[in-house]
Amino acid sequence: MTKIIAILGGDARQLALISFLRRAGHTVRSYGLPLADAFESWREAVSGAEVLVLPLPASTDGCHLHQPLSREQEAPLLSEVLKEIPEKCEVFSGKCSTAFREMAAEEGVTLTDYFESEVLQQKNALPTAEGAVFVLMRESDRTVKGMPIAVTGYGRVAKALTRLLLAMGAHVTVIARKRDAIRAACAKGAEGVLLTDMEALKAAMVGQTAVFNTVPYQLFDAEVLEEMDKETLLIDLASAPGGVDGEAASALGVKVIWALSLPGKYAPKTAGEIIGETLIAMMGEVEE
C-alpha cells in the first residue's frame, strides 16, 4: 500500500531515501533538504502525512531537528514537531535518545527507532567497514596489503571489516573475549587473541600498524596505550563514549580517529537505501 510520507531534515542519506521511497510508489514530502520540491513549511509537509520520518539522529543538540543541509538555523524544535503530528501517523526516527522518547510519550506519540533494526545493522556493517578502510588508507602512506592490523571485538562490523581487510591482503589479528569468536575469525584466515585480561591486549598491540576498535567500552586506557608504538593509528568505531581514553592518547602521542556514522559519510546513497528498505519492512509489519 502506498503512503503519504513526510521526511524532515537529515543529510545525504535522506536524499537517497526520498528517491528510494518514490521509486517504491510512495508520495514523499520533504522539509529541510536542498530539493526543488521541498516544502517551505515543515507544518505543511507534516499535515495529512501517514508516515513521518525523522533523521538519524533526530537531533544533535537535544532540542532542534537535525537538518545540516538546509537552513539549520531555522530548524524547528522537536517539541513543536511532536505537537503537530497527525493522528494515526506512524513516526520513525533513528538513534532516539531517552529524552526524545520521553518527550514523545508526553505528547502521546509512539516512536519507532529504525536504527535498532537488526536487518539495518547487518546491512550497515559493510559500508561501515568500507568507510573504516577508507579512513585507514587516507591516513596511511602504505598499502593495506601486508599491513599488520588488529581488530578488537567480533560483532557485525568487526566481522565485515575482518573479511574486507583479509581480502585486501592485510595480516589481521582479531582480539575478542569469546572462544567461538576467535575460532570463527581464525577460520576466515585471521590470527586470534583471546582477550582474557589487559596483558593479552597489551601484548597484541606490539607491531600493529593500525588498530580498529569496535568494542563500546574503554579498552584502551593509559596502560594499554603505553604499549602501542607511537606510529600506530588507532581508529575507534565504537559508539559513544567510545573505547579509548582520549586524554591519555593525546598525552602519549597516540593518534586516534573516532570514526562515527561512516555509512552516512562515505556511502550515503547506500545508507539511505538501507534505511528505505528497513522502513518499508517496518511499515508492512505495522499494517499486519
Side-chain angles (χ1 to χ4, degrees), residues 11 22 34 63 93 102 111 119 131 146 167 174 182 185 224 262 285:
D11 51 33
R22 285 176 173 165
C63 296
S93 185
E102 292 174 350
L111 292 175
V119 174
V174 171
I182 296 301
V224 174
L262 292 177
E285 289 173 0

Side-chain angles (χ1 to χ4, degrees), residues 28-175:
V28 183
R29 306 168 177 175
S30 71
Y31 171 84
L33 290 164
L35 295 171
D37 60 355
F39 282 57
E40 289 294 320
S41 164
W42 64 266
R43 287 184 171 86
E44 185 181 357
V46 170
S47 178
E50 299 169 279
V51 177
L52 171 61
V53 182
L54 299 175
L56 192 172
S59 175
T60 55
D61 65 4
C63 296
H64 296 85
L65 180 74
H66 183 49
Q67 54 175 59
L69 300 184
S70 178
R71 300 180 300 188
E72 192 162 18
Q73 70 278 9
E74 299 177 17
L77 291 167
L78 289 179
S79 58
E80 293 299 315
V81 173
L82 291 171
K83 293 179 188 298
E84 299 291 332
I85 294 174
E87 187 178 355
K88 297 183 179 180
C89 179
E90 301 169 44
V91 183
F92 296 92
S93 185
K95 285 189 178 180
C96 300
S97 66
T98 299
F100 185 36
R101 290 182 187 275
E102 292 174 350
M103 190 189 305
E106 290 176 1
E107 296 295 335
V109 174
T110 300
L111 292 175
T112 300
D113 193 331
Y114 54 83
F115 188 69
E116 293 181 351
S117 163
E118 177 61 24
V119 174
L120 182 144
Q121 294 285 349
Q122 290 284 357
K123 290 180 177 179
N124 256 356
L126 180 57
T128 299
E130 290 187 3
V133 172
F134 178 90
V135 173
L136 171 62
M137 295 177 69
R138 182 189 66 196
E139 298 294 326
S140 178
D141 57 1
R142 56 180 293 186
T143 63
V144 173
K145 183 177 181 179
M147 189 182 290
I149 299 172
V151 177
T152 57
Y154 203 59
R156 292 177 295 255
V157 170
K159 289 176 182 177
L161 180 57
T162 298
R163 288 195 299 269
L164 182 57
L165 291 170
L166 288 170
M168 297 178 73
H171 299 301
V172 183
T173 299
V174 171
I175 306 165

Side-chain angles (χ1 to χ4, degrees), residues 13-31:
R13 287 171 291 186
Q14 276 63 41
L15 298 177
L17 171 61
I18 288 170
S19 295
F20 180 88
L21 292 174
R22 285 176 173 165
R23 290 196 302 271
H26 297 283
T27 298
V28 183
R29 306 168 177 175
S30 71
Y31 171 84

